[in-house]
Amino acid sequence: ARLSSDSEITAMKSSGLSLYEIAKPVLVLAIIVFAANIIVTFYLYPWGNHNIKKLVLEASRTASASGIDEGVFYDRFKGATLYVDHIEPNTGEMQGIIIAKETPRGYNVFFAKKGILAQPDDSDSAYFRLIEGSVHRQDRNSKTYSTIDFSSYMLEMTLSESRAGVKATRSNKELYFDELFAKLTEIRSLGYNDAPFIIDLHKRITLPASILIFALIGIPLGIQKVRTARLTGFSISLGLVVAYYVLTTTFEALGNTGRLNPFLAVWGSDIVLALAGCVLFYQASVDKPVSALFSKTGRSMTKSA
């Protein structure tokens, strides 16, 4: 638009340069940005989403462990209550442990001289390694009571829903392209609705592809003769982004509900803008103003009405 407002486009065409030659730098830049966005959507996007979830999950687990105090009954594990007499500040080893854990058949009460808490990655559970203790079991069905001594015992404790934070399962946004394709194949073989997976898979390509389409449609719109290049360029860019967003969300909504083929749902906005870009680019290449196309279309619609 700046070149057009300064009559540089006219000078270029007068010197024998066609629109195709003028457009080469823009298209080359669009291809470079397209390649960079392919790397983002294929690798960095799922990597970032997965690591953010791991960070939130780790913060939740850390908060659960850090909330354990000496001489206080801790009831934030699901179906269990924990009491620790002493915690070594340097090693985190717990001493004088009592755990009351509810089971479908009754209660288990663990007494241990000492123990260590471990919380593995990608899990909403905590594992207590209890050392030198005993477990007292009460069976409400058989009305029996038993005691078992142990030298070492591994006990799994599930964090309550309010403390677990984020589920450790990976969503589509956290899967790499090949993993998402494998998941799509599995869902399809099981006979489930595969539309959301097809849309998520193809969006990894359609979003970068929109860069090439914006370049194609932006060139003929940008070289139109205008007085205020900066304001006009911003307005055109904003309008294109809004139009693309509206088309994309509309087609995706139709695809998710099964009213439109998933492939067309995810590629529909790109196809519409690509066709519009080809028409506008051809108009500009034969030195026909874009405004003439819109006015002609408007007259045709008026006559039809």
Side-chain angles (χ1 to χ4, degrees):
R2 181 62 181 271
L3 291 172
S4 179
S5 64
D6 292 342
S7 300
E8 296 291 347
I9 295 294
T10 303
M12 291 179 184
K13 290 183 178 180
S14 300
S15 64
L17 290 176
S18 67
L19 181 62
Y20 299 97
E21 293 172 310
I22 296 175
K24 284 181 180 179
V26 179
L27 296 178
V28 169
L29 179 60
I31 292 173
I32 294 174
V33 180
F34 165 78
N37 273 264
I38 283 289
I39 296 174
V40 171
T41 57
F42 276 41
Y43 303 104
L44 299 183
Y45 174 72
W47 177 86
N49 281 320
H50 182 59
N51 280 276
I52 287 176
K53 179 176 283 189
K54 285 176 62 178
L55 182 62
V56 174
L57 186 61
E58 178 63 28
S60 176
R61 290 197 302 265
T62 302
S64 298
S66 62
I68 301 175
D69 296 322
E70 298 177 352
V72 177
F73 286 95
Y74 186 87
D75 61 353
R76 292 177 180 174
F77 290 105
K78 194 172 183 179
T81 301
L82 169 67
Y83 176 86
V84 178
D85 186 56
H86 176 68
I87 302 176
E88 286 291 335
N90 296 329
T91 62
E93 184 183 78
M94 303 178 185
Q95 299 176 359
I97 301 173
I98 303 175
I99 300 175
K101 192 173 189 299
E102 185 178 6
T103 66
R105 299 177 62 90
Y107 279 93
N108 293 341
V109 181
F110 297 83
F111 297 90
K113 184 177 180 180
K114 56 184 179 178
I116 300 174
L117 173 65
Q119 293 177 303
D121 293 337
D122 297 333
S123 175
D124 59 357
S125 297
Y127 296 89
F128 281 94
R129 185 188 176 195
L130 304 177
I131 302 172
E132 297 182 17
S134 61
V135 53
H136 298 250
R137 293 176 176 171
Q138 180 187 20
D139 193 323
R140 63 167 61 100
N141 296 333
S142 61
K143 306 296 183 182
T144 59
Y145 184 90
S146 60
T147 303
I148 301 175
D149 295 328
F150 59 82
S151 59
S152 179
Y153 192 101
M154 186 65 73
L155 177 64
E156 180 181 3
M157 304 276 282
T158 303
L159 301 175
S160 63
E161 294 182 0
S162 60
R163 305 297 293 179
V166 184
K167 293 291 184 181
T169 55
R170 295 174 65 185
S171 63
N172 289 353
K173 294 182 178 180
E174 301 170 65
L175 299 177
Y176 294 101
F177 188 85
D178 55 338
E179 295 174 333
L180 185 58
F181 183 80
K183 189 174 182 180
L184 170 63
T185 305
E186 179 184 0
I187 292 296
R188 185 174 292 169
S189 64
L190 296 175
Y192 296 137
N193 180 25
D194 58 357
F197 299 92
I198 294 176
I199 292 175
D200 287 342
L201 182 70
H202 284 272
K203 279 176 68 176
R204 304 285 179 91
I205 306 174
T206 56
L207 289 177
S210 66
I211 296 170
L212 303 176
I213 297 172
F214 283 138
L216 177 66
I217 199 173
I219 292 171
L221 292 178
I223 65 173
Q224 301 304 307
K225 189 66 176 178
V226 293
R227 292 184 179 179
T228 55
R230 183 174 300 176
L231 180 61
T232 303
F234 176 78
S235 302
I236 292 175
S237 301
L238 182 61
L240 284 176
V241 170
V242 171
Y244 182 78
Y245 175 78
V246 171
L247 287 173
T248 301
T249 52
T250 302
F251 284 136
E252 284 186 16
L254 294 174
N256 284 321
T257 56
R259 299 172 64 182
L260 185 66
N261 181 278
F263 181 83
L264 292 177
V266 72
W267 282 98
S269 55
D270 283 27
I271 293 173
V272 170
L273 288 183
L275 292 176
C278 290
V279 173
L280 293 176
F281 196 93
Y282 173 76
Q283 286 285 117
S285 66
V286 294
D287 292 329
K288 290 183 178 181
V290 174
S291 57
L293 176 64
F294 290 110
S295 61
K296 185 185 296 183
T297 305
R299 288 194 299 268
S300 300
M301 293 177 64
T302 303
K303 290 180 180 179
S304 300

